[in-house]
């Protein structure tokens, strides 16, 4: 037996590993993967002489080999006039697999190459000429062919050695090409705006404003061109990651940023050697790395470069739990801290190397890619409130998440930027820990002409009065594409008087007595009775109870926001969400008693919440213009597990009869939504799958006074609201997805006690199912932005 | 006659006396082999998928590499078997006076080794073939070939075994007479095994977690695999014929040629070496020992015990090797298990942190039991010297105390090193360190005492070939009992100090149960055992 024992001991780790591995069910929410970008040799401006023969248009798609492309990713070409005339200057014709540009009449056009779906696009300006033309391109700035706004913005200043205290005025070197080329000709300046000077094909910036230079060929003054651009007063040109840091995280008041380069991930920046290691050689001249990468140690220095700040979201529970040491647990990480205007010029900032859990592993319980605690920086949202040990809670509701771009301040404009937190991926669950893409905090801020994608939440707007999002595409996020709310809230009024009617008897209390008392009839007694089944739950009883937990909020302090001409595409849950704080009895005083008893058996010195919540200050959101929701999804794929993290199922699921408990067994929000949507004819059935267009969601639990006005939308068709009473379903057991585990029903009753009793509210598509199976076309945004 | 000789050799392999013990051994062996095969197949299929993404030729090369590895391991694994079969003194004496032809003996030896080689290759290579074929939709002939493959390649393997047997036997004889070199050789072997285990475990955990495997698959490694698939004859030639159906004639010629040469060489070597073995008197080299100084009886006994342990070739590669390997193996197993459990059961371990302590303690005790079980034949190891034990003017109990004390001290020292390694790597807490040391010490001594009692009981019945079952029972029962107590008490939230106190108390009770009748049992046992153990 002796050696057999040794062999068995040595085999044990293998067996445990196999058992652990085979029990893992990796969660997948597969999404369409498109090409990353388009490569070509065209500059911002090109010239084409009128001729009979067509010009072959050439471009190659940049593909991520790891994924299978979805349909609709073949490259197609199109043109449109720069002016609004209907004259035909050129045509694009497809001959077999090639596209040809036929120059027909003199004029200026925009040539666009995109995938068939229209989700990835690149353009250049083309001058169609007969006798000659002057084509001007910037030489010392990377070309941008993906702008949505009309003109490129250059900052007045450059930094010297990445030092924000050492600025010099910038200059623009021109690559001037005169056609026909065999007539090498000099050019002369015809006119020049006051804010620039010119010599030897270089424009020196003098001051901000629109800059214009008109040039003519020396030998033929009829060959002329005008080159216009904007110089941003006090703007600083950013050419790499360290320039960006200097203007943002390292600057106490921030600089106005004019981005002149893509800042991308390793995979999209550097070439690789035969062994697959990255080498210091760029893939493209218009792209640099987001981060400082040490090739020898294969590591970054983000810890010392990111911006840390104390969360602005409600973190009272954290303060109560940790007391003087709470700061360490209420820190949010932001890759970029913006305090002034930011002009993206169509360039991309991709923080994949910071945000994506590269060192993560699949969590055996949740089946999701979870970051490594030591090696990955983004660890998911902070805690709003939790039950159990802070580090390993049974249940946790989320607070503020880590961020790509944190915009803090007033009157800030973010224009024409492509922000993403990760590279392309095909499983939305892998975005669970990647943070918010852009987060606004301040008044009168604007986000326009931008593409926001690949995060847990796309655009987060909290405590931001008069916020405007205009002509943007927000797509591919794990949770919500756009989340809005306020950090501020009105606490429970302890003197508020209300009535509770039970079994025909009406009793009057003030809030403090009803919620805190342990004698006579009180909330603790009531919820304990609900839990053990001795109290009959009715909607009116729940309404009576919730009245004490709600607060009144004056309309004077509502905040306002506007979404105009925006597209929403491919969310994990819903496109737009109106946040509100959970505000159940547990958050007020840690009652009912059975929860306290449960905690004391599992923990020593359990910390209970003490009046940490209330009614969130509402938001009034206006949705107008050509705003569209391309957010159809299989309703069964909606996974609410990113709203609440629960591991109760892990702890208790092995008791009872041993079967696993899932979120739907005790928080059946998705199944209730599906049921309601079906009853109202709002579910689109296609080949056995039920689809809904998940447009707008209002958090429930706590009182949510926010409102939405979508009456000015020109094309979208949105249903009336659907109210989903999760609390009633949980407390009565009706509507729960059945589980053979006896603890599931008990867990279900605990949820409303913490969350609150108000309904969740949803807006879906109407029964015309407008935009089903369609994808947003970037060209729409480009045309609007021009 | 050849068949009879074969049956004789196979019968001598088995050592269990009773049917029930043979059945238990068979079941345990089956479970262990089954687990190993499952593990091997899983690793193969997972790595195969990885190779497949580079090129289908690479995945084929990977199969060839594994088959080559199995062949090499079976060749080296058969060497001790072949040596034992050929150079058996008992055999020589038994067959010398019987009408058995030398050729028949040689053929039976060859077949004995061949069948063992085939068995080993069969167990480990057929699952690989099945895994490879199943993922590629191979047809029935492929699977038939996979069943015959061990028999075909077995000839080559056996031939190489016998070719290597000559230097192996020479080396064995050389090491036997040079003790220091024995120690060095065993040290190198032990270190190699530990490193290999560490590497394989790391690789496996990476596979499962799927995080760092890509670093392995660089172009250089892939090129090596590709060239191996073409040149690893006779495996490559055999697979060329039956899988790739490529260059069939030339592959057949190569395979046949290599096989025939290896068979012929094997028989020639067998013939020569067996003849030499039969003809040569083994002259025992009479070493003139240095004059030993006369020691006090206690010191002499202590020295004798050290000699019995450390100068015993059998112990070198079992007990002593385990003493050295225990810290490494225990650290590797416990640290990897801790990582796995924190990943898979993080919640439980956060709320019930004592669970991991209980598990670590159990594993430490199981490792102790493995080591201590190596020294459970303390009396039997005396051999002819037992008569001295019975007749020398030192009390039996005193002799037995020393007999237990020495291996216990060595084992406890190894345990201490193990615990120091674990705590320095933050795999165990300080509490577990001290509790592990205390319980480990008590457990080690108890096991050795129990082993001694068992040994005496067996020898009383003059049944030399049986192993003590009661000590085996204690070696497993106590660790698992403590584990159950620990886990149950953790769940019902008994304070940890109480749990440890109970565990130590139980160990002490066991120790007292064994130690109190010690003198009486030893005296009675010695009186009942015969004078010689041969």
């Amino acid at each position: 037996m002796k050696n057999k024992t040794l062999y068995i001991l040595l085999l044990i780790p293998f067996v445990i590993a196999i058992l652990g591995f085979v029990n893992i069910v990796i969660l997948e929410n597969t999404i369409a993967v498109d090409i990353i970008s388009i490569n070509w040799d065209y500059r911002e401006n090109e010239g084409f002489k009128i001729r009979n023969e067509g010009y072959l248009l050439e471009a190659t798609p940049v593909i991520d080999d790891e994924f299978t492309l979805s349909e609709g990713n073949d490259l197609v070409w199109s043109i449109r006039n720069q002016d609004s005339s209907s004259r035909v200057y050129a045509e694009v014709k497809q001959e077999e697999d090639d596209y040809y540009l036929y120059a027909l009449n003199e004029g200026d056009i925009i040539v666009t190459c995109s995938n068939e779906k229209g989700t990835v696009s690149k353009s250049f300006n083309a001058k169609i000429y007969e006798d000659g033309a002057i084509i001007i391109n910037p030489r010392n700035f990377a070309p941008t062919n993906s702008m949505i706004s009309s003109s490129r913005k250059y900052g007045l200043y450059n930094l010297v050695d990445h030092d924000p205290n050492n600025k010099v005025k910038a200059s623009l070197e021109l690559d001037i090409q005169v056609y026909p080329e065999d007539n090498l000709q000099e050019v002369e300046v015809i006119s020049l705006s006051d804010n620039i000077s010119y010599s030897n094909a270089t424009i020196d910036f003098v001051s901000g404003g629109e800059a214009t230079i008109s040039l003519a060929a020396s030998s033929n003054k009829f060959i002329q061109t005008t080159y216009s651009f904007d110089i941003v007063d006090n703007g600083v040109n950013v050419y790499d990651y360290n320039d960006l840091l200097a203007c943002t995280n390292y600057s106490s008041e921030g600089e106005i940023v004019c981005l002149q380069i893509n800042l991308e991930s390793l995979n999209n920046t550097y070439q690789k050697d035969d062994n697959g290691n990255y080498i210091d050689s760029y893939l493209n001249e218009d792209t640099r790395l987001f981060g400082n990468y040490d090739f020898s140690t294969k590591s970054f220095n983000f810890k010392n470069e990111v911006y840390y700040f104390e969360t602005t979201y409600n973190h009272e529970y954290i303060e109560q739990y940790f007391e003087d040491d709470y700061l360490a647990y209420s820190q949010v990480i932001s890759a970029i801290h913006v305090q002034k205007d930011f002009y993206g010029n169509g360039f991309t900032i991709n923080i994949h190397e910071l945000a994506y859990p590269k060192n993560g592993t699949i969590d055996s319980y949740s089946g999701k890619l979870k970051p490594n605690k030591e090696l990955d920086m983004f660890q998911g949202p902070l805690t709003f409130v939790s039950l159990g040990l802070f580090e390993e809670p049974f249940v946790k509701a989320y607070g503020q998440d880590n961020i790509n771009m944190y915009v803090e301040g007033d009157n800030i404009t973010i224009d024409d930027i492509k922000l993403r937190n990760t590279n392309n991926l095909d499983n939305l669950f892998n975005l669970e820990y990647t943070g918010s893409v852009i987060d606004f905090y301040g008044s009168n801020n604007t986000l326009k002409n931008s593409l926001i994608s690949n995060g847990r939440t796309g655009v987060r707007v909290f405590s931001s009065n008069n916020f405007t999002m205009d002509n943007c595409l927000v797509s591919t996020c794990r949770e919500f594409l756009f989340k809005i709310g306020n950090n501020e809230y009105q606490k429970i009024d302890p003197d508020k008087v209300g009535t509770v009617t039970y079994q025909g008897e009406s009793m009057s209390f003030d809030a403090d007595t009803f919620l805190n008392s342990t004698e006579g009839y009180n909330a603790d007694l009531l919820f304990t009775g609900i839990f053990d089944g001795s109290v009959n739950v009715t909607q009116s009883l729940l309404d009576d109870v919730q009245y004490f937990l709600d607060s009144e909020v004056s309309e004077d302090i509502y905040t306002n926001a506007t979404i105009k001409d925006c597209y929403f595409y491919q969310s994990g849950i819903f496109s737009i969400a109106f946040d509100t704080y959970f505000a159940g009895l547990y958050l007020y005083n840690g009652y009912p008693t059975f929860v306290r008893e449960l905690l004391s058996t599992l923990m020593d010195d359990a910390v209970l919440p003490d009046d940490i919540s209330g009614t969130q200050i509402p938001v009034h959101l206006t949705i107008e213009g050509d705003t569209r929701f391309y957010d159809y999804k299989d309703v069964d794929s909606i996974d609410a597990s990113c709203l609440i993290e629960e591991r109760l199922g892990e702890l208790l699921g092995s008791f009872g009869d041993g079967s696993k408990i899932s979120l739907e067994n005790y928080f059946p929000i998705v199944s209730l939504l599906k049921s309601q949507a079906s009853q109202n004819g709002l579910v689109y059935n296609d080949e056995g799958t039920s689809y809904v267009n998940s447009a707008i969601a209002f958090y429930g639990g706590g009182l949510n006074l926010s409102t939405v006005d979508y009456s000015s939308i020109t094309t979208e068709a949105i249903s009336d609201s659907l109210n989903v009473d999760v609390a009633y379903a949980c407390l009565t057991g009706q509507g729960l997805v059945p589980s053979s585990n006896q603890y599931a029903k008990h867990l279900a009753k605990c949820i409303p006690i913490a969350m609150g009793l108000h309904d969740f509210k949803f807006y879906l598509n109407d029964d015309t199912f407008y935009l089903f199976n369609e994808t947003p076309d970037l060209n729409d945004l480009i045309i609007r932005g021009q | 006659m050849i068949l009879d000789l074969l049956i004789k050799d196979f019968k001598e392999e088995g050592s269990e006396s009773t049917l029930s013990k043979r059945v238990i051994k068979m079941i345990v062996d089956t479970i262990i082999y089954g687990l190993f095969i499952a593990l091997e197949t899983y690793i193969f299929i997972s790595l195969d998928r990885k190779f497949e993404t580079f090129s289908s030729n690479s995945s084929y090369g990977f199969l060839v590499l594994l088959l080559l590895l199995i062949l090499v391991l079976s060749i080296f694994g058969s060497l001790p078997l072949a040596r034992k079969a050929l150079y058996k003194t008992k055999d020589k004496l038994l067959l010398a006076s019987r009408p058995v032809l030398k050729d028949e003996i040689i053929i039976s030896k060859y077949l004995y080794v061949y069948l063992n080689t085939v068995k080993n290759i069969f167990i480990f290579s057929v699952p690989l073939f099945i895994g490879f074929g199943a993922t590629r939709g191979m047809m029935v002939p492929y699977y038939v070939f996979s069943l015959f493959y061990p028999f075909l390649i077995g000839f080559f393997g056996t031939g190489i075994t016998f070719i290597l047997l000559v230097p192996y036997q020479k080396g064995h004889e050389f090491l036997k007479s040079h003790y220091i070199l024995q120690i060095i050789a065993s040290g190198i072997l032990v270190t190699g095994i530990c490193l290999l285990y560490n590497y394989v475990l790391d690789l496996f955990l990476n596979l499962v977690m799927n995080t760092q495997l890509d670093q392995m698959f660089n172009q250089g490694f892939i090129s090596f695999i590709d060239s191996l698939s073409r040149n690893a004859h006779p495996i490559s030639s055999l697979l060329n014929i039956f899988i790739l159906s490529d260059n069939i004639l030339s592959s057949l010629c190569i395979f046949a040629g290599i096989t025939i040469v290896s068979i012929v060489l094997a028989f020639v070597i067998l013939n020569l070496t067996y003849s030499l073995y039969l003809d040569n008197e083994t002259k025992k080299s009479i070493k003139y020992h240095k004059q030993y100084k006369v020691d006090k009886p206690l010191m002499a006994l202590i020295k004798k015990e050290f000699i019995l342990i450390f100068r015993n070739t059998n112990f070198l590669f079992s007990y002593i090797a385990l003493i050295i390997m225990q810290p490494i193996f225990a650290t590797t197993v416990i640290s990897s298990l801790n990582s796995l459990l924190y990943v898979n059961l993080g919640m439980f371990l956060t709320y019930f942190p004592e669970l991991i302590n209980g598990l670590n303690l159990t594993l430490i005790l199981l490792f102790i039991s493995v080591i201590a079980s190596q020294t459970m034949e303390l009396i039997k190891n005396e051999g002819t010297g037992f008569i001295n034990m019975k007749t020398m003017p030192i009390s039996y109990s005193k002799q037995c105390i020393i007999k237990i004390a020495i291996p216990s001290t060595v084992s406890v020292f190894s345990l201490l090193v193990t615990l120091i390694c674990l705590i320095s790597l933050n795999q165990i807490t300080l509490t577990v360190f001290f509790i592990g040391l205390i319980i480990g010490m008590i457990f080690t001594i108890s096991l050795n005492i129990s082993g001694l009692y068992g040994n005496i009981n067996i020898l009383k019945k003059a049944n030399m070939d049986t192993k003590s079952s009661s000590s085996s029972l204690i070696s497993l029962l106590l660790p698992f009992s403590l584990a159950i107590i620990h886990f149950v008490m953790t769940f019902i939230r008994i304070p940890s100090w109480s749990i440890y106190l109970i565990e130590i108390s139980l160990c002490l009770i066991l120790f007292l149960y064994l130690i109190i009748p010690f003198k009486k049992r030893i005296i009675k046992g010695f009186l009942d055992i015969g004078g010689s153990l041969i």
Side-chain angles (χ1 to χ4, degrees), chain A residues 168-184:
Chain A
V168 294
K169 285 197 176 165
S171 59
L172 175 61
E173 292 170 20
L174 299 181
D175 177 14
I176 302 171
Q177 217 156 356
V178 183
Y179 295 99
E181 286 151 342
D182 53 358
N183 275 352
L184 288 169

Side-chain angles (χ1 to χ4, degrees), chain B residues 82-200:
Chain B
R83 194 194 75 81
K84 208 173 158 189
L86 200 60
Y87 300 106
K88 212 186 298 183
T89 315
K90 215 171 156 188
D91 227 28
K92 184 176 166 181
L93 295 170
L94 186 70
L95 298 175
S97 55
R98 279 167 172 77
V100 182
L101 294 174
K102 194 177 85 173
D103 288 345
E104 287 172 337
I105 297 172
I106 287 170
I107 292 171
S108 76
K109 298 296 178 200
Y110 181 88
L111 284 175
Y112 174 68
V113 175
Y114 170 74
L115 288 171
N116 271 294
T117 305
V118 165
K119 179 192 93 179
N120 290 333
I121 295 176
F122 189 96
I123 289 171
F124 296 113
S125 63
V126 170
L128 293 185
F129 275 113
I130 294 174
F132 186 85
T135 52
R136 285 159 180 79
M138 295 291 201
M139 306 303 283
V140 171
Y142 166 85
Y143 295 103
V144 173
F145 159 72
S146 67
L147 292 175
F148 279 101
Y149 167 83
F151 294 94
L152 294 169
I153 209 72
F155 289 113
F156 174 75
T158 311
I160 300 297
T161 301
F162 280 115
I163 291 168
L164 292 176
L165 183 60
V166 174
Y168 179 70
Q169 171 63 5
K170 291 290 176 206
H172 189 267
E173 280 175 0
F174 178 76
L175 282 177
K176 208 169 173 179
S177 53
H178 294 84
Y179 188 68
I180 303 296
L181 287 175
Q182 258 192 63
I183 295 177
I184 294 171
S186 69
I188 293 170
L189 184 67
V190 153
T191 310
I193 292 172
C194 292
L195 289 173
L196 184 67
Y197 176 76
N198 223 338
Y199 177 76
V200 171

Side-chain angles (χ1 to χ4, degrees), chain A residues 234-422:
Chain A
N234 291 319
V236 177
N237 294 308
V238 165
Y239 301 98
D240 60 24
Y241 176 67
N242 289 312
D243 279 345
L244 181 66
L245 288 179
C247 294
T248 55
N249 299 358
Y250 293 165
S251 170
S252 56
E253 292 175 0
E255 301 286 345
I256 297 174
V257 170
C258 297
L259 188 63
Q260 307 296 350
I261 202 85
N262 292 309
L263 294 174
E264 268 282 3
S265 63
L266 279 169
N267 197 50
N268 296 337
T269 304
Y270 289 116
Q271 299 192 20
K272 288 181 184 177
D273 61 16
D274 292 337
N275 293 325
N277 298 316
Y278 292 106
I279 55 174
D280 195 0
S281 172
Y282 295 113
L283 287 169
N284 296 298
E285 281 313 302
D286 64 357
T287 303
R288 294 293 178 267
L289 180 67
F290 183 90
N292 285 312
Y293 183 64
D294 187 327
F295 287 91
S296 54
T297 60
K298 296 186 182 174
S299 63
F300 288 89
N301 188 30
F302 288 124
K303 273 197 170 69
N304 300 317
E305 293 164 356
V306 297
Y307 176 68
Y308 300 94
F309 65 98
E310 186 180 339
T311 177
T312 53
Y313 198 68
N314 182 340
H315 55 285
E316 282 202 54
Y317 180 70
I318 298 177
E319 290 180 47
Q320 288 173 9
Y321 196 100
F322 292 105
E323 295 176 343
D324 294 334
D325 300 324
Y326 80 93
L327 260 178
Y329 299 92
S330 56
Q331 293 283 298
V332 176
I333 297 171
S334 172
I336 309 162
H337 179 219
V338 170
Q339 299 174 84
K340 293 200 172 130
D341 293 346
F342 196 109
Y343 299 97
N345 288 317
F347 288 109
T348 299
I349 296 180
N350 176 3
I351 67 165
H352 178 91
E353 305 302 334
L354 171 64
Y356 189 74
K358 297 181 293 186
N359 303 293
T361 51
I362 300 294
D363 182 80
S364 58
Y365 177 69
S366 64
K368 298 176 189 174
L369 181 62
K370 205 166 173 187
N372 182 296
K373 282 196 173 136
E374 277 83 41
L375 300 172
D376 293 317
M377 284 198 71
F378 276 32
Q379 294 287 320
L382 295 177
T383 301
F384 163 54
V385 67
S386 64
L387 193 72
L389 288 171
F390 194 84
E391 294 79 11
E392 290 279 355
F394 306 139
V395 184
K396 173 171 142 179
Y398 293 113
Q400 192 171 11
D401 203 349
N402 299 306
I403 311 160
N404 179 339
M405 181 179 282
Y406 179 51
V407 182
E408 183 186 17
D410 302 330
N411 306 305
I412 300 171
T413 298
I414 309 297
D415 183 20
D416 206 355
I417 183 75
K418 292 178 180 51
L419 285 177
R420 53 193 302 148
N421 287 13
T422 72

Side-chain angles (χ1 to χ4, degrees), chain A residues 467 482 484 559-563 568 576-578 619-624 696 698 706-710:
Chain A
F467 171 80
F482 182 91
I484 190 164
T559 56
N560 294 283
T562 306
I563 293 175
F568 296 91
I576 295 177
F578 287 83
V619 175
H620 179 74
L621 177 68
T622 305
I623 306 176
E624 61 187 27
I696 303 168
F698 283 75
S706 296
T707 56
V708 63
D709 174 11
Y710 53 85

Side-chain angles (χ1 to χ4, degrees), chain B residues 23 38 50 54 92 210 236 359 368 420 442 446 497:
Chain B
V23 167
K50 268 284 176 182
F54 289 91
K92 184 176 166 181
N210 202 29
S236 311
L359 179 70
I368 291 170
I420 290 171
I442 300 171
S446 304
W497 63 266

